[in-house]
């Protein structure tokens, strides 16, 4: 659970010198976003900051953790979920202000060590004995999708661990402690420390990422700006560069 | 009454301190879905996780006793810079975020680790993701508590008994086993309890180094964390069970070992 804060003081100095676009006061928003969005959203935040003088503070974590935090009363302006189910939970809790919108898709891939020393080419290979396979826990969207993909491929895997965050799967493969794991394509594109083995569409599962402004937003205008930027052609280009499929 | 009266401000702050501890526990108990505690108690996953938690924490405490008491003895005999350095190294796992400890354990005992790689290549032994890994993680995080307590006991101990034994001709091992250890019993006991409690609640290093697999490495704290996301009532029920078991053991052991006052 990484929280990235921006130096608000420095930001205020910068914007007061630059004199804000449209004469509005400098503003800040808090975005709760699925851990897998971090590389793309960090870039989007940098653009939004330079274009709209809008500073973004992120709480990146597993979607289910963020959902729990929001239900428990955490204040945030925007929520970006790695699936639609958790967004629905948040919406049913009366926490969404405005519309929800699917803004990206992600597919699963098999993460293996650089150079694929264990010669893993398909989901079926993950059932081989002696292989250390790590999956995300089924309570996490990535883990639920992995179970679906394995079921689609009629493969039974005996995982060494069920990680509560998809980033845990990735880091264990990157450290060389696990031979393979099932993660998102975007994780592999942005990690650069593992190789990805594609899963055929017939077996794969498409994750729908959903975004919404929250009722607890302190900065509605800022939240709407961020929301719009993610769905704009520039925002979509950044997501595409980070390995997501755009809408 | 031979003891001086406790000043009112001290009493007030003590009450505030106690309340600060007890309120979160009260929250757990008040908000507990009592209807779910029964089903959670008899659920086979709970028994598995609880059994694993008890096994790992007791084993970790045993390992800590075997390695930690000698370490405390050596620590208590060193002086100056060496002592500061050794002591800092021993306390490091207490201040290290446990997740970082887990990564460090990978780098030492993982398949690519300093010790783990030769082990893996020579014997095909893989430590991560095993119950042994959970014990190692718990020992790493919890042993400092034992070492610090025993070292404190050694420093405040009356060493004249050891000198007397030595003067009467006892060898160094005999003095250690027959005089030092018995005198240290209260310090060893309280250190072991602290160590065990820390091991029982261990989460970060365990989930990093040992992973999370029911029946193998999923101890109660890990099970609670996973359950918290999907079924918070189940998580609270599990927490209560861990709390009740810990309390029962702590109270029971104190009476047995130290005699109730």
């Amino acid at each position: 659970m990484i929280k990235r804060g921006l130096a608000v003081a420095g930001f205020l100095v910068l914007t007061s010198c630059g004199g804000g676009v449209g004469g509005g006061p400098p503003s800040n928003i808090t975005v709760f976003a699925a851990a897998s969005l971090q590389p793309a959203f960090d870039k989007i935040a940098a653009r939004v900051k330079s274009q709209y003088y809008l500073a973004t503070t992120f709480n990146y974590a597993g979607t289910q953790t963020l959902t729990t935090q929001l239900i428990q009363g955490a204040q945030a302006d925007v929520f970006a979920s790695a699936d639609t189910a958790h967004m629905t939970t948040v919406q049913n809790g009366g926490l969404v202000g405005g519309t929800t919108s699917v803004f990206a898709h992600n597919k699963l891939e098999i993460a293996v060590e650089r150079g694929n020393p264990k010669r893993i080419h398909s989901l079926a290979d993950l059932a081989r004995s002696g292989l250390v396979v790590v999956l995300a826990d089924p309570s996490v969207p990535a883990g639920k999708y992995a179970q679906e993909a394995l079921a689609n491929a009629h493969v039974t895997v005996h995982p060494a661990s069920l990680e509560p965050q998809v980033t845990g799967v990735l880091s264990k493969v990157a450290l060389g402690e696990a031979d393979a794991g099932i993660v998102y394509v975007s994780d592999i594109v942005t990690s650069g420390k593992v190789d990805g083995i594609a899963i055929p569409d017939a077996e794969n599962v498409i994750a729908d990422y959903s975004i919404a402004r929250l009722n607890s937003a302190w900065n509605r205008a800022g939240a709407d700006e961020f929301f719009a930027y993610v769905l704009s052609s520039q925002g979509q280009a950044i997501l595409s560069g980070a390995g997501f499929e755009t809408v | 009454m031979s003891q001086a009266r406790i000043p009112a401000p001290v009493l007030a702050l003590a009450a505030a301190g106690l309340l600060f501890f007890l309120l979160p526990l009260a929250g757990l108990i008040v908000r507990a879905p009592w209807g779910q505690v029964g089903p959670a108690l008899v659920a086979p996953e709970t028994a598995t996780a609880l059994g694993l938690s008890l096994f790992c924490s007791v084993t970790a405490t045993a390992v800590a006793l075997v390695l930690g008491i000698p370490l405390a003895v050596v620590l208590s005999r060193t002086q100056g810079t060496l002592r500061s350095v050794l002591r800092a190294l021993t306390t490091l796992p207490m201040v290290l975020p446990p997740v970082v400890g887990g990564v460090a354990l990978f780098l030492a005992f993982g398949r690519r680790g300093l010790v783990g790689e030769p082990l893996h290549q020579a014997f095909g032994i893989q430590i991560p993701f095993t119950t042994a890994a959970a014990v190692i993680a718990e020992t790493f995080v919890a042993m400092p508590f034992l070492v610090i307590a025993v070292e404190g006991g050694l420093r405040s101990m009356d060493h004249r008994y050891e000198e007397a034994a030595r003067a009467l001709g006892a060898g160094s091992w005999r003095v250690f086993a027959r005089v030092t250890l018995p005198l240290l019993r209260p310090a060893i006991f309280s250190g072991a309890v602290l160590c065990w409690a820390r091991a029982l609640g261990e989460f970060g290093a365990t989930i990093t180094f040992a992973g999370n697999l029911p029946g193998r490495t999923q101890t109660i704290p890990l099970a609670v964390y996973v359950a918290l996301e999907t079924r918070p009532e189940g998580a609270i029920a599990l927490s209560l069970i861990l709390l009740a078991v810990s309390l029962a053991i702590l109270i029971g052991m104190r009476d047995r070992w130290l005699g109730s006052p």
Side-chain angles (χ1 to χ4, degrees):
Chain A
M1 271 160 254
I2 305 154
K3 248 189 180 169
R4 292 185 94 252
L6 289 167
V8 177
F11 169 74
L12 289 174
V13 170
L14 273 179
T15 45
S16 56
C17 296
V21 167
S27 55
N28 194 342
I29 55 167
T30 302
V31 176
F32 278 28
S36 45
L37 287 166
Q38 181 164 6
F41 270 26
D42 279 352
K43 279 193 188 143
I44 286 178
R47 297 276 189 84
V48 164
K49 192 183 174 195
S50 60
Q51 288 182 21
Y52 301 105
Y53 298 95
L54 178 67
T56 316
T57 304
F58 285 108
N59 177 10
Y60 290 118
T63 294
Q64 81 292 2
T65 303
L66 298 172
T67 304
T68 308
Q69 290 172 351
L70 288 172
I71 301 280
Q72 290 291 327
Q75 187 279 329
D77 298 276
V78 175
F79 175 45
S81 160
D83 63 3
T84 49
H86 284 88
M87 183 58 88
T88 306
T89 307
V90 171
Q91 201 166 17
N92 290 344
L95 303 174
V96 168
T99 57
T100 68
S101 181
V102 171
F103 65 95
H105 306 291
N106 215 346
K107 283 200 297 196
L108 298 177
E109 231 173 46
I110 305 169
V112 296
E113 249 187 283
R114 275 277 180 74
N116 196 5
K118 294 286 163 89
R119 299 175 182 280
I120 293 157
H121 301 295
S122 67
L123 286 176
D125 287 340
L126 299 185
R128 258 175 12 208
S129 65
L131 217 56
V132 180
V133 179
V134 171
L135 302 176
D137 190 84
S139 66
V140 190
K144 189 187 70 184
Y145 297 143
Q147 297 294 342
E148 288 173 26
L150 287 167
N152 292 343
H154 306 289
V155 174
T156 308
V157 171
H158 299 287
S161 175
L162 297 168
E163 297 291 318
Q165 274 189 14
V166 67
T167 43
V169 179
L170 197 66
S171 67
K172 272 154 193 168
V173 176
L175 277 168
E177 297 300 339
D179 296 312
I182 299 179
V183 299
Y184 294 117
V185 173
S186 68
D187 294 323
I188 291 173
V189 168
T190 47
S191 144
K193 290 181 195 126
V194 297
D195 281 354
I197 307 299
I199 298 171
D201 278 346
E203 298 166 356
N204 217 323
V205 179
I206 308 287
D208 297 324
Y209 282 62
S210 181
I211 189 167
R213 166 161 60 73
L214 295 167
N215 259 335
S216 63
W218 284 337
N219 183 351
R220 292 190 169 212
D224 287 339
E225 265 171 357
F226 188 89
F227 181 97
Y229 192 91
V230 167
L231 287 159
S232 72
S233 55
Q234 299 109 299
Q236 292 287 303
I238 291 172
L239 283 160
S240 163
F244 290 91
E245 289 180 13
T246 51
V247 291
Chain B
M1 288 293 271
S2 59
Q3 278 179 343
R5 275 190 53 192
I6 301 173
V10 174
L11 264 182
L13 287 173
L18 190 64
L19 207 61
F20 177 67
F21 275 149
L22 291 183
L23 273 179
L25 297 181
L28 263 184
I29 291 166
V30 170
R31 290 294 169 84
W34 289 104
Q36 303 232 8
V37 174
L41 193 60
V42 295
E45 307 92 74
T46 308
T48 309
L50 189 62
L52 193 65
S53 267
L54 291 174
F55 171 78
C56 289
S57 57
V58 168
T59 312
T61 308
V63 175
L65 283 169
V66 171
L67 301 177
I69 296 175
L71 184 57
V73 169
V74 172
L75 259 178
S76 74
R77 301 281 168 87
T78 53
Q79 300 291 338
T81 320
L82 181 65
R83 177 186 159 199
S84 319
V85 170
L86 280 180
R87 194 180 235 188
L89 288 176
T90 317
T91 20
L92 211 57
M94 289 167 105
V95 291
L96 208 62
V99 176
V100 179
V103 174
L105 287 171
F106 266 140
L107 302 180
F109 303 112
R111 287 199 307 194
R112 299 291 149 77
L114 296 174
V115 178
E117 183 158 25
L119 265 183
H120 180 50
Q121 281 174 352
F123 307 105
I125 295 174
Q126 291 188 40
I127 299 172
F129 311 120
T130 61
T131 306
V135 172
I136 290 174
E138 290 183 5
T139 310
F140 180 76
V141 172
M143 192 161 83
F145 290 87
L146 178 102
V147 176
I148 296 296
V150 175
E151 199 215 341
L154 277 161
R155 286 188 182 278
S156 59
M157 200 170 89
D158 189 344
H159 291 282
R160 282 176 301 183
Y161 293 104
E162 290 167 313
E163 283 158 23
R166 215 170 290 125
L168 290 168
S172 62
W173 176 258
R174 199 172 157 85
V175 173
F176 175 71
R178 304 297 293 272
V179 180
T180 316
L181 278 186
L183 282 173
L184 272 179
R185 205 171 84 157
I188 292 174
F189 173 75
S190 58
V193 167
L194 274 176
C195 172
W196 172 76
R198 179 66 187 84
L200 190 69
E202 216 304 303
F203 172 78
T206 310
I207 201 156
T208 308
F209 182 57
N212 172 53
L213 196 71
R216 200 189 296 167
T217 58
Q218 191 188 64
T219 53
I220 292 255
L222 274 57
V224 168
Y225 181 77
V226 173
L228 195 57
E229 316 292 3
T230 44
R231 36 188 190 93
E233 309 80 20
I236 297 177
L238 266 178
S239 311
L240 279 175
I241 291 168
L242 185 66
L243 212 64
V245 170
S246 320
L247 261 181
I249 292 176
L250 286 175
I251 294 172
M253 293 238 299
R254 185 154 284 271
D255 284 352
R256 180 173 290 258
W257 276 65
L258 293 183
S260 35

